[in-house]
C-alpha cells in the first residue's frame, strides 16, 4: 500500500513570495489533514478535510493560508504572501473516515522563508 | 484548554529501559497517542490507548495512563540504537477526535 505522498520535499523562498504544497493521501482515505511543525515543536493542525469539505480550519491563518481538496482526493496548501515565521515543516496526513484514531503521515515539506 | 507537556530530552544506554513521560490537560480526550519521528521523516504512529484503559502493551512498548493525574508514559524495553528519535505524545480533541494536540516532543538518545 502506497503511503501519503507530498511534494516538494524542500522549498526555499523569500518573504512576501507565494508557495504551494501538494499532498496525495492513501487511496480510500476520506479524511485529510495539514499540520504545521515549527522547529522544536510538535505538529499543529491547520486544516482537516472530510472528502472535499472542511471539518476544522480554526487554526488556519486565513489572511495568508488557503487549502483546497476539490475532488476529495489530492489537496494543495498555499501561502500567499509568506512571512519569516512560516518557516516550518508542513505535514500531510490521512485516515479512513471512521478511523480518525489512525492517521498516516507523509514525509513533509520543509519550507524556509528568507 | 488543550495542552500537552513533555520533557525535552532523555539519554539511555543500549539494552536499558526508556520511560518517556507526558502530561495533558483535557480529561475528556478520547484517545492518547505516542508517535515517533526520525530525522527528515514524517510521524509514525507507535501506539495509542483509549481513555478508559490504564495500560496497553505491544511487544517492547508499554503505555501507562493515569487519568487522575492526567499522566501518560511510554516505556520501551531493551532500548536499541534504532529507537533514537523524537517521541511525541498527543491527545485527541474532545470536540473533534481527528484533531490531534501534540506535545513538543522528547528526544531519545540511545548510547551504545
Amino acid at each position: 500500500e502506497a503511503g501519503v505522498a507530498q511534494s516538494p520535499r524542500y522549498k526555499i523562498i523569500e518573504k512576501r513570495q507565494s508557495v504551494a504544497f501538494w499532498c496525495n493521501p492513501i487511496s480510500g482515505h476520506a479524511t485529510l489533514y495539514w499540520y504545521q511543525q515549527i522547529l522544536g515543536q510538535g505538529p499543529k493542525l491547520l486544516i482537516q478535510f472530510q472528502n472535499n469539505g472542511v471539518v476544522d480550519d480554526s487554526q488556519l491563518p486565513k489572511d495568508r493560508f488557503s487549502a483546497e481538496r476539490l475532488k476529495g482526493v489530492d489537496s494543495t496548501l498555499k501561502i500567499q504572501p509568506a512571512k519569516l515565521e512560516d518557516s516550518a515543516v508542513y505535514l500531510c496526513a490521512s485516515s479512513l473516515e471512521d478511523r480518525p484514531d489512525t492517521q498516516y503521515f507523509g514525509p513533509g515539506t520543509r519550507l524556509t522563508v528568507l | 484548554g488543550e495542552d500537552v507537556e513533555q520533557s525535552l530530552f532523555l539519554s539511555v544506554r543500549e539494552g536499558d529501559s526508556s520511560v518517556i513521560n507526558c502530561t495533558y490537560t483535557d480529561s475528556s480526550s478520547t484517545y492518547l497517542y505516542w508517535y515517533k519521528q526520525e530525522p527528515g521523516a514524517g510521524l509514525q504512529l507507535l501506539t495509542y490507548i483509549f481513555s478508559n484503559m490504564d495500560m496497553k502493551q505491544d511487544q517492547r512498548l508499554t503505555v501507562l495512563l493515569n487519568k487522575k493525574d492526567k499522566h501518560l508514559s511510554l516505556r520501551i524495553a531493551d532500548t536499541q540504537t534504532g529507537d533514537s528519535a523524537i517521541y511525541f505524545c498527543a491527545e485527541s480533541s474532545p470536540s473533534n477526535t481527528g484533531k490531534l494536540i501534540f506535545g513538543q516532543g522528547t528526544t531519545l538518545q540511545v548510547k551504545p
Side-chain angles (χ1 to χ4, degrees), chain B residues 77-91:
Chain B
D78 188 24
T79 313
Q80 303 297 308
T81 54
D83 295 324
S84 293
I86 302 175
Y87 290 80
F88 291 93
C89 168
E91 62 174 345

Side-chain angles (χ1 to χ4, degrees), chain A residues 9 33 35 37 40-45 48 55-56 58-59 91 99-103 105-107 110, chain B residues 8 31 33 35 37 40-45 48 50 88 95-105:
Chain A
R9 290 295 312 276
Y33 314 79
Y35 289 86
Q37 185 178 17
Q41 298 181 19
K44 180 183 81 172
L45 181 69
Q48 176 184 350
V55 174
D56 187 335
S58 57
Q59 297 191 92
L91 295 165
R99 292 299 305 273
D101 52 290
T102 306
Q103 296 182 25
F105 282 78
R110 181 177 296 277
Chain B
L8 295 181
Y31 304 96
Y33 302 84
Y35 279 84
Q37 188 176 39
L43 276 73
Q44 173 194 355
L45 177 63
Y48 66 89
F50 288 104
F88 291 93
S95 59
N96 173 7
T97 53
K99 178 180 179 180
L100 301 181
I101 313 298
F102 285 88
Q104 67 270 55

Side-chain angles (χ1 to χ4, degrees), chain A residues 69-88:
Chain A
R69 194 183 183 201
L70 294 175
K71 295 183 179 178
V73 181
D74 293 4
S75 176
T76 55
L77 176 69
K78 297 179 182 177
I79 309 175
Q80 180 179 11
K83 291 186 175 181
L84 297 177
E85 59 261 35
D86 298 331
S87 294

Side-chain angles (χ1 to χ4, degrees), chain A residues 81-113:
Chain A
K83 291 186 175 181
L84 297 177
E85 59 261 35
D86 298 331
S87 294
V89 175
Y90 290 85
L91 295 165
C92 179
S94 69
S95 70
L96 291 169
E97 184 170 354
D98 59 348
R99 292 299 305 273
D101 52 290
T102 306
Q103 296 182 25
Y104 295 85
F105 282 78
T109 296
R110 181 177 296 277
L111 173 67
T112 302
V113 182

Side-chain angles (χ1 to χ4, degrees), chain B:
Chain B
E2 303 158 339
D3 194 17
V4 178
E5 296 283 339
Q6 299 178 238
S7 53
L8 295 181
F9 187 79
L10 175 65
S11 181
V12 300
R13 292 239 171 250
E14 192 173 19
D16 288 349
S17 292
S18 308
V19 180
I20 303 172
N21 296 299
C22 167
T23 57
Y24 60 98
T25 53
D26 202 318
S27 57
S28 52
S29 295
T30 308
Y31 304 96
L32 293 138
Y33 302 84
W34 285 104
Y35 279 84
K36 176 183 180 182
Q37 188 176 39
E38 295 181 85
L43 276 73
Q44 173 194 355
L45 177 63
L46 287 177
T47 186
Y48 66 89
I49 188 168
F50 288 104
S51 57
N52 62 357
M53 297 171 64
D54 298 323
M55 185 182 92
K56 181 178 180 181
Q57 187 150 4
D58 184 1
Q59 299 181 342
R60 292 191 298 122
L61 305 179
T62 303
V63 178
L64 294 178
L65 175 60
N66 181 329
K67 287 195 72 174
K68 175 176 169 289
D69 295 337
K70 297 179 188 173
H71 182 266
L72 184 74
S73 68
L74 174 70
R75 178 178 181 269
I76 306 173
D78 188 24
T79 313
Q80 303 297 308
T81 54
D83 295 324
S84 293
I86 302 175
Y87 290 80
F88 291 93
C89 168
E91 62 174 345
S92 59
S93 168
S95 59
N96 173 7
T97 53
K99 178 180 179 180
L100 301 181
I101 313 298
F102 285 88
Q104 67 270 55
T106 299
T107 298
L108 175 63
Q109 179 189 66
V110 182
K111 297 179 180 177

